[in-house]
Amino acid sequence: MSAAPPRHPPRTRTVVLLAVLAAVAAALGTAVLVRADAGLTVRQVTVDAVPMTEVRGGPPNPDARRPGVVIAHGFAGSARLMRPIADTVARRGAVALLIDFAGHGANPAGLGAGTSPATLAANLDVAVGHLRSQPDVDPAQIMLVGHSMGAGAVTRYAAEHPEIARTVAISLPEAGELPPGRPTELLLIVGGAEFPAFRRAADDAAKRGVTVGRRPAAVVPGVEHISVLFAPRTHEEIADWLPSMDGNAPPRPFDRLAGAALLVFAFAVGVVPVAALFLGRRTAVTLSPARRSAVALPSGRPVSSATALRGFVLLGLAVLAGGFGAAVAAILPTNRLPLAVGGHVSGFLLVTGILTIGGHRWLPAATRAPEIADEPVASQTPARAIRAALALAAYAILAVALPIHLGLTSARPVGARWWLLPLVLGACLVFLLGVERIAAGRTWRRLLVVAVTVVVLSTSAVVGLAPGFVLLVVPLFAVLLGWYVLWAAVLGRYAPGRWLPAVVGAALLGWPIATTLPLT
């Protein structure tokens, strides 16, 4: 087999066009995010160490009392994840109050004893008390809205506080603790594509006579556990369930997501001009005959058998490394980090990476992934390479943190997250160095390894080796790994070697794990 052809960086014209496209997409995304805030007044408050966000459809007016709505997120969520619901009820005339439970979002406190009902109830008590104290809120018209863990918290709270006017439970996890007939005026919302347990919980609550009102539950078709929060039907149901309604503004649940998506596109396109700026052009250098023979099969040798053997061996290495990583992650010290789910995932990635690197080193030479011969090499000093790596890693952090924080959920480190960041990033780096060792610069090999990793991690959650909540975050995990593959392919055109794509990929993957998953 002849050596793989050199992969040249894009032409200067292409780089310029991509820079312009990235700037336009970033401007459009910013405009969409600004539009999402149009007509709303937002105020950040902290009461008894609980961070909260007030959202109103206009300036406060003490002479016009409005309904008040406390909005509670689910496990691994945040106030920012629930912001579109707050926008909807605020535009309908209510005062919305978003809360960050302990261990989530901007709240640096730990979860406590396993997200105990007492901790959640205490946080809700602070939020309800603060909302009632607002001069433009009618204390007799307080409504609670909760999702998943938050749905369980608000229904329990409303059952014990009959003065709560109405309650909305989105994706209620279970209803066994609720007394029959309480809370009154409870609206259940569940996604049609959710896990069966959530559908059963809604059915159980309805059969036990907990709900009172128009109908026992609203099933939103075609959405699962997270997308149910952004479904227009969900927003209409909540707005119609308000104790009183002053306005008929249509919900716009996709504004923030659309703005964030444009920013993601801008950063993805922008990686090409950024790489060109910091890494520069490369000069093709032909390897010596001895080096060529070490990294590529001689011309004329049958390709099929060698390629098939190499593919099976590398696939087996990825499966074995991932399987062993899943098996031992629960007993590693990383599993005791104060980061729910994230500690387990970090341990899994760390062990998988170590085994992949070690296993590949001990493979027979004929089965190792060949490097690409005649590969252009970077004509830059080590100091410039380090500066480029730092700049690209910072760009990657901005690319992943900014869209998530502005359009989806909280991605800003607080409290213990600052010292957890280097640990999680280090585990991701070791894993991606292993991926790069197997891939040897080939995109399809990266895709193969990350696909195996996603399947192994999902399977470990199904069989009980990993927390069940992993299944809910695996889609985002897969998207982040796919983004790493895309960026690695771009960087490979400017700088050879394994370390740079691994460093940048670790920033893309590790930052969300360390900043979005709950502190314990």
Side-chain angles (χ1 to χ4, degrees), residues 105-151:
N107 195 327
L111 289 173
T115 62
S116 68
T119 300
L120 301 178
N123 289 172
L124 282 175
D125 208 39
V126 170
V128 171
H130 173 74
L131 195 55
R132 281 204 177 101
S133 71
Q134 300 305 296
D136 59 342
V137 172
D138 184 348
Q141 297 192 72
I142 300 296
M143 184 168 89
L144 306 181
V145 178
H147 171 243
S148 194
M149 177 188 76

Side-chain angles (χ1 to χ4, degrees), residues 199-226:
R199 295 291 301 273
R200 287 195 298 268
D203 292 341
D204 180 51
K207 290 176 182 177
R208 295 172 66 238
V210 172
T211 58
V212 178
R214 299 165 298 170
R215 55 184 177 276
V219 178
V220 183
V223 295
E224 43 70 65
H225 194 66
I226 302 300

Side-chain angles (χ1 to χ4, degrees), residues 45-52 99-110 119 122-124 126-127 130 414:
V45 296
T46 299
V47 181
D48 292 341
V50 179
M52 294 178 286
I99 180 175
D100 273 323
F101 283 125
H104 294 78
N107 195 327
T119 300
N123 289 172
L124 282 175
V126 170
H130 173 74
V414 295

Side-chain angles (χ1 to χ4, degrees), residues 181-203:
R182 293 169 59 191
T184 59
E185 299 297 324
L186 170 65
L187 173 64
L188 292 160
I189 300 176
V190 62
E194 295 208 57
F195 289 128
F198 295 101
R199 295 291 301 273
R200 287 195 298 268
D203 292 341

Side-chain angles (χ1 to χ4, degrees), residues 342-430:
H344 182 96
V345 172
S346 298
F348 165 74
L349 294 176
L350 179 64
V351 174
T352 302
I354 291 173
L355 292 178
T356 302
I357 293 170
H360 184 268
R361 180 173 181 176
W362 292 104
L363 285 176
T367 59
R368 293 180 188 172
E371 299 179 42
I372 299 176
D374 291 343
E375 180 69 22
V377 297
S379 55
Q380 53 188 331
T381 64
R384 184 182 179 186
I386 293 173
R387 287 196 300 269
L390 293 175
L392 286 164
Y395 179 82
I397 290 172
L398 190 64
V400 71
L402 194 63
I404 289 177
H405 192 73
L406 294 180
L408 187 60
T409 191
S410 180
R412 182 173 63 88
V414 295
R417 298 188 191 278
W418 285 110
W419 65 264
L420 286 168
L421 262 173
L423 299 181
V424 175
L425 292 172
C428 293
L429 177 61
V430 172

